[in-house]
Amino acid sequence: MPQIHQVAIVTGGSRGIGRAISAHLAAQGAAICVNYSAQPEPAEALVTELHAGGTSAIAVHADVSDPAQAHALIDRAEAELGPLTILVNNAGISAPATLETYDEAALERMRRVNVNGVINTTRATMAGMKARGYGRIVNIASNAAIGTALPGTTFYAATKAEVLILTKRFALELGRSGITVNAVCPGWIVTDMTRGSTTEGEFSARVAGMRERTMVGRVGAPEDIAAAVAFLASPEAGFTTAQVLTVDGGRKDYIGHG
Ligand code: NAP
C-alpha cells in the first residue's frame, strides 16, 4: 500500500479519550489538529508534548455544535497541516437526566454537541476527502447507545444512538468515494467526564462498581479506545465500514435484548 501523509483532526482532542487518540495517532506518524472548545490549557500542553516528540500539531478552538466554527476548524487544520485523511468525532458532553429530571435546554445543548457536532465536522470535511478519494471517519458513540443500564444516561444514550445510525448512513453515502465511516462505543472509561464532581472516595466506589459490571474485571483507560480508533483510521481498514466496535470490557448489564 502506498504511504499516505496522515493528517488527523480529533474533536475534543485535548482531554480524556480524545487526548489518548491524538497521542496514539501522533505516535503512528500523523500530524494532529487538537480541537477544544472551553479550555485552551490542556490543548496547548498536549501540542507542546507532541512537538517535543517530533509531531506536527496545532491546537484549534471551535465549538463543533456551530456549523461555521466547524468549517473554520477544518479549513485551518488543512491550511496548516495539509489535506485531512482522518476525522475523529470525539467531542461530546453528558447531561445526566431521567424522565423526572428532564431539562429541555440542557438536553438540547447536549444534542447539538453530540449529534450536530458529528454532522457539522463531517460535512465540512467530506468535500476534500471525496476529491482525493480517501478518508477515514471514526465517530465516538457510547455503549449507552446499545442499551447499558446506568441510571441517568437515558437522553445521553439517545444522542449516541443517533450517532450510530448517522455512522451507517454516512458510510453508505461516502463509501464510493473511498471514505469509511465507523463508530467506536466506549464502555466506562476513566476521564473527567466519568469523574464529574465526585470526591476521591465516591470515585473509588464508582470504579469498584463499574469494574464488577465487566467480564474482564476492570474499567477502561482512554488508551483502550485509542487503540480501536487507530485500527479503524488506518489505511488497512479500507474494507471495514458502517461498523460499530464496542470497547467496554464485556459489559454484563445490557437491558432488553441489546
Ligand atoms: P471529557 O474528558 O469530558 O473530554 C471532552 C472533550 O471534548 C474535551 O477535550 C472538551 O474540550 C471537548 N469538547 C466538549 N464540548 C465540545 C464542543 N462543543 N466542541 C469541541 N470540543 C468539545 O470526555 P471523555 O470522557 O474523554 O469523552 C470523549 C467522548 O467519548 C465523548 O463523546 C463521550 O460522550 C464519549 N464517551 C465517553 C465515555 C467515558 O466513560 N468517559 C464512555 C462512552 C462514550 P473543552 O473542555 O475545551 O471544551
Side-chain angles (χ1 to χ4, degrees), residues 3 5 7 30 35 37 59 83 88 100 119 125 137 156 176 203 210 221 236 239 256:
Q3 278 287 328
H5 174 58
V7 178
N35 158 247
S37 75
V88 183
E100 292 291 342
I119 299 169
T125 306
I137 300 176
Y156 170 79
R176 294 289 177 111
F203 189 66
M210 296 312 300
E236 292 78 11
F239 204 51

Side-chain angles (χ1 to χ4, degrees), residues 11-18 35-40 62-65 89-94 109 113-114 140-143 156 160 185-194:
T11 69
S14 58
R15 294 188 287 114
I17 292 171
N35 158 247
Y36 66 96
S37 75
Q39 302 182 38
D63 177 347
V64 294
S65 72
N89 284 310
N90 165 78
I93 57 175
S94 162
R109 168 72 192 149
V113 176
N114 294 4
I140 306 301
S142 170
N143 66 348
Y156 170 79
K160 293 299 190 174
C185 283
W188 203 84
I189 312 297
V190 175
T191 68
D192 295 341
M193 182 182 278
T194 43

Side-chain angles (χ1 to χ4, degrees), residues 94 96 191-204 206:
S94 162
T191 68
D192 295 341
M193 182 182 278
T194 43
R195 195 171 283 276
S197 52
T198 52
T199 63
E200 272 309 312
E202 289 166 343
F203 189 66
S204 300
R206 195 180 275 185

Side-chain angles (χ1 to χ4, degrees), residues 9 70-71 74-75 78 84 87 89 118-137 169-170 173-175 177-181:
I9 179 156
H71 271 273
I74 304 302
D75 288 349
E78 296 211 314
L84 277 180
L87 167 64
N89 284 310
V118 172
I119 299 169
N120 293 337
T121 52
T122 302
R123 293 194 72 240
T125 306
M126 68 180 184
M129 285 185 173
K130 276 181 167 180
R132 295 184 291 275
Y134 181 90
R136 298 281 181 266
I137 300 176
R169 300 301 301 235
F170 289 175
E173 290 197 30
L174 299 173
S177 301
I179 303 168
T180 64
V181 189

